[in-house]
Amino acid sequence: MVLTAHFIDSEWKMHKRVLNFCVISNHQGSTIGKLIENCLLEWGIEKVLAITVDNASANKVAINWVRSKLNRRAKAEPVLQGKYLHVRCLAHITNLIVVSGLKRLSKSILAIRNAVRYVRSSPQRLEFFKTCVEAEGLSLNGMVCMDVPTRWNSTFIMLDSALKYKKAFVRMGEDEDSPFLAYFKEPEHEVDEDGVIVSNTKHIRAGPPSEDDWENATVFVKFLRVFYEVTLKVSASLHPTVNKAFHSILAIEKEIDKLFVLPEMATGSEAEKVLIDMASKMREKYNKYFVKFEDMNVLLVVAIVLDPRFKLRHVTHLFKKEKFDDAEVEKKTTTIKEVLMSMYEEYAPRLDGGIHMRGGNVNSAAQTVNASGGRE
């Protein structure tokens, strides 16, 4: 398990430090919680704003453990009693949402993946591919790349790069005696997403990509670009990203909704059915984490208010755009304002020797901790 701390120093500069990187005996919540607690004790960290973890039941138990221990200390200093300590990793949830949709296009993705694997498997095959690229008048500025099946964003990059050379792949398959077509007649073992053989029975290799496969990939890459950009936004480590989280969540919702076709606009095509089914699965996964405002960590919205570009009025506007009625909008806005004021009182300089101010800078700041673990 690796534990990373993000904090702001007395000059308002953001820092990122790895606190520990160690073997963990098991993946039980209490074990994870104890390890986090011990690390905080070793480093003398008393004030913790939030801990970001992947979405797993064991991590929820771990955060509850840490919260209870921080509150029981003689000098208990978790921010707001640790009420907002647990922050689910948005990049991980985005991954879960996308993977649920990827399953519907697994056949098309596998066919294109095998085509890319063929090109990247030997220098001779790569040269043959380059010859086809030049014959089609395409640029060789980039090159196709393999993906890691368990990392959807690498699958997006693979599909995006392969689509640029679609004509070259088609040319490679035009000669019936070409080694490219022979490659797809070879039997291979069935493997899972981690590359582990799950069946001793061999099957003919999927591919070459058909026109339907390329069409599915084209639609999916266009759709996935928003998710890819969201992941990049919230995965940065050298500047704050929490102020971008809520807008990213709304962008994901809007992109999923685009996949649903109105009855009067439906054509009944196979590609359309695939996309609607994919949207339904992704919407189901999205609703699991974001459909209820109460289930979301309020700090994601407070961060927008603290962003100089937006403020509280912008948050109220976002609630109205989400079609909440006036009473609900007022209630949610009031909740955000109350949390914001509570945080101000937590950090504001006090005459009773709370946080010491020097030259206008806060001398100590709460830390956010990012905990991640598990098998890769």
Side-chain angles (χ1 to χ4, degrees), residues 55 89-104 152 220 223-224 227 230-231 248-253 255-256 259 277-291:
N55 189 66
C89 177
L90 182 55
H92 184 241
I93 294 176
T94 303
N95 181 70
L96 295 175
I97 294 172
V98 173
V99 168
S100 65
L102 275 172
K103 292 177 181 176
R104 189 64 179 84
W152 76 266
F220 204 53
F223 166 70
L224 271 187
F227 292 83
V230 164
T231 302
S248 297
I249 292 168
L250 297 181
I252 289 173
E253 181 183 35
E255 205 61 26
I256 293 174
L259 287 181
D277 182 56
M278 187 175 70
S280 298
K281 286 181 169 54
M282 296 178 79
R283 165 59 80 175
E284 182 181 343
K285 187 67 71 173
Y286 176 91
N287 288 346
K288 180 179 179 181
Y289 301 106
F290 299 128
V291 73

Side-chain angles (χ1 to χ4, degrees), residues 45-73:
I45 296 173
E46 297 176 344
K47 197 160 193 171
V48 181
L49 172 64
I51 302 179
T52 306
V53 289
D54 284 351
N55 189 66
S57 55
N59 285 335
K60 184 176 181 180
V61 173
I63 300 303
N64 288 336
W65 173 282
V66 174
R67 181 189 292 111
S68 65
K69 298 305 177 186
L70 288 175
N71 282 327
R72 281 171 51 184
R73 287 185 185 179

